[in-house]
Amino acid sequence: MRCRTADRLMSLQLDHALGVEELARLSRHLEQCARCRAHWASMQRANRLLQQAPWLEVPAGLPAKVLQRLPADRRAVVPAEPVWARASLVVMAAVALLLVALAGVGVLSGVAPGQSDWLLAQQGGRSVIVAVWESVILVLTALAQVGRAVWQGLRWPWAPILALVVGGAAYLWRWLWRRSSPV
Amino acid sequence: MDPVEEEQIWILRSLQGDQQAFAQLVSRYQRQVYNLAYRMLGNAEDAEDAAQEAFLRAYVALSTFQLGRKFSSWLLAIASNLCVDLLRRRRYAWMSLEDISFRLASPAEEPARDVLRQEQAGQIQHLLSRLPEKYRLVLILRYWYDLSYEEIATTTGLTLNTVKTRLHRARNMLARALEEEERQCAVEPLTG
């Protein structure tokens, strides 16, 4: 018997769910394998600890407290906004900051010596940098709103995935920006 | 009147909006729900909040309970789901700033050694808290509630094989954690 099999059988044995034959195979393996013997000993110790673990007293007045919180109409309970919905806002802010930083890096690294004239060229009284910056902020705000709306409709595992996707898109965008900028 | 019959009557009355009848159900099952929440969440305050919340959810969802099934299993399933949800939220809560400042202010890892010196009840709670919640849950249902593999499967919505695998892994993790702590205990006199 392999140690992995023995390991699985040990757990079943603790639940008395092992047949006679399997039990015999397990004991034979334990006789031969010192490592499994040691592991079996600590599994048994853990098992005893669990069996001896006490039940705790309930704080007084729990039924009364529940009664107080019961809605008059059984359908009138509105679930509270989950924490992850609020957390997603923080993630969104972090992603937005990252995007802004990336955009900043993109803009700055796009400035090659001698090219600053182009970037600082006046466009209706504003430099290109300011215009780009403002549009970035605008896009980010929109993204944050959409992201939050989407997240509220999705379950939590999607939050980090979406964050990654948005982050990746920002990176790609920066890369394209650099390639297309006249350096 | 036999307890099961009595319980059915309480459930029917609760369904009609009789809150006192529901309070009877709470009294009967508070110990089970509170202990599950305590073992999952690791402290009395969170456990009490979670127990209250679980009963509230049960009250709202009572019409989905099929009379004739085991009420305790249904209730434990609600409480288990709630606790797993709460633990997930706790894991994601690090993203909120207040929580970060709270964590910075308190020496979170320090009490680990003190727990070792406490009685066994503290030790088992400490060991449990080191397991991921899905493994913690099957151990609790197995040991505190003495549920069979089948009952754990119905309560958690897992397959029988997954239950066996999780119990097996959970016990392995627990045994390793125990060995580790015993090693730490053994070297403690040397390190002072």
Side-chain angles (χ1 to χ4, degrees):
Chain A
M1 188 191 285
R2 293 169 62 181
C3 293
R4 272 181 71 175
T5 316
D7 197 37
R8 208 168 44 79
L9 294 185
M10 285 178 208
S11 174
L12 291 170
Q13 171 57 18
L14 290 175
D15 293 322
H16 310 290
L18 221 52
V20 185
E21 210 171 293
E22 282 173 317
L23 184 58
R25 282 173 64 209
L26 177 62
S27 359
R28 268 202 303 281
H29 179 79
L30 287 178
E31 274 168 32
Q32 292 159 3
C33 178
R35 238 182 70 196
C36 281
R37 252 195 326 268
H39 187 57
W40 174 232
S42 47
M43 256 186 146
Q44 282 177 308
R45 276 203 301 284
N47 190 53
R48 267 196 301 279
L49 263 180
L50 283 165
Q51 282 169 341
Q52 291 162 1
W55 281 73
L56 298 154
E57 283 305 311
V58 183
L62 187 74
K65 283 180 198 159
V66 173
L67 213 56
Q68 251 174 16
R69 290 178 61 188
L70 286 187
D73 179 3
R74 286 200 310 108
R75 287 156 302 179
V77 178
V78 183
E81 188 188 16
V83 168
W84 59 259
R86 269 175 284 155
S88 74
L89 198 67
V90 180
V91 180
M92 206 59 234
V95 171
L97 265 176
L98 187 76
L99 284 168
V100 170
L102 285 173
V105 172
V107 168
L108 291 177
S109 59
V111 186
Q115 292 291 334
S116 51
D117 296 353
W118 178 82
L119 273 166
L120 297 173
Q122 296 293 304
Q123 278 197 343
R126 293 183 305 173
S127 76
V128 174
I129 290 179
V130 173
V132 168
W133 188 260
E134 276 176 1
S135 59
V136 163
I137 298 290
L138 204 72
V139 168
L140 286 179
T141 319
L143 260 179
Q145 292 298 330
V146 171
R148 193 165 155 73
V150 170
W151 270 333
Q152 276 171 348
L154 292 173
R155 287 191 62 77
W156 63 269
W158 291 99
I161 295 169
L162 258 169
L164 277 175
V165 169
V166 173
Y171 212 83
L172 195 71
W173 175 62
R174 179 207 162 193
W175 183 72
L176 287 173
W177 199 94
R178 286 188 69 176
R179 288 208 47 185
S180 63
S181 63
V183 178
Chain B
M1 200 188 296
D2 92 286
V4 179
E5 212 173 297
E6 193 176 40
E7 192 175 287
Q8 303 271 319
I9 290 169
W10 288 340
I11 294 168
L12 286 172
R13 286 212 184 125
S14 306
L15 278 169
Q16 289 157 1
D18 180 350
Q19 301 196 339
Q20 290 302 326
F22 190 73
Q24 301 276 8
L25 285 169
V26 177
S27 300
R28 179 169 286 179
Y29 289 108
Q30 55 177 341
R31 189 161 171 266
Q32 291 201 20
V33 171
Y34 175 77
N35 272 272
L36 177 73
Y38 187 94
R39 294 305 175 185
M40 282 300 281
L41 303 172
N43 71 73
E45 198 183 323
D46 287 352
E48 195 183 349
D49 284 348
Q52 286 186 28
E53 182 69 30
F55 280 116
L56 279 180
R57 287 191 182 186
Y59 186 71
V60 174
L62 202 58
S63 53
T64 65
F65 174 70
Q66 293 169 323
L67 282 169
R69 281 189 59 209
K70 223 169 139 188
F71 187 68
S72 62
S73 303
W74 184 74
L75 196 57
L76 281 182
I78 291 181
S80 311
N81 286 335
L82 175 68
C83 289
V84 170
D85 268 1
L86 288 173
L87 286 167
R88 277 187 190 151
R89 282 188 213 174
R90 212 189 257 177
R91 209 163 20 159
Y92 277 83
W94 64 269
M95 284 185 248
S96 80
L97 287 173
E98 317 140 50
D99 214 58
I100 290 168
S101 56
F102 168 76
R103 267 163 208 226
L104 288 176
S106 67
E109 299 306 318
E110 192 55 36
R113 291 203 150 193
D114 295 337
V115 171
L116 287 177
R117 298 194 191 94
Q118 280 176 15
E119 23 76 80
Q120 282 195 332
Q123 189 188 6
I124 193 64
Q125 192 58 46
H126 177 63
L127 287 169
L128 273 181
S129 70
R130 293 177 58 174
L131 302 185
E133 61 254 12
K134 56 183 185 180
Y135 296 109
R136 209 182 304 168
L137 180 62
V138 287
L139 276 188
I140 293 168
L141 292 175
R142 179 76 195 94
Y143 282 93
W144 273 270
Y145 299 87
D146 207 21
L147 298 189
S148 65
Y149 292 157
E150 285 81 6
E151 286 169 319
I152 297 175
T154 6
T155 306
T156 53
L158 299 169
T159 65
L160 212 57
N161 268 329
T162 314
V163 170
K164 285 183 199 170
T165 310
R166 286 215 181 149
L167 265 173
H168 159 225
R169 291 207 182 131
R171 282 177 168 135
N172 263 342
M173 287 180 207
L174 206 67
R176 297 233 169 80
L178 193 62
E179 282 168 25
E180 204 177 295
E181 299 216 330
E182 282 164 351
R183 265 201 301 279
Q184 274 177 11
C185 267
V187 294
E188 204 164 18
L190 293 174
T191 55

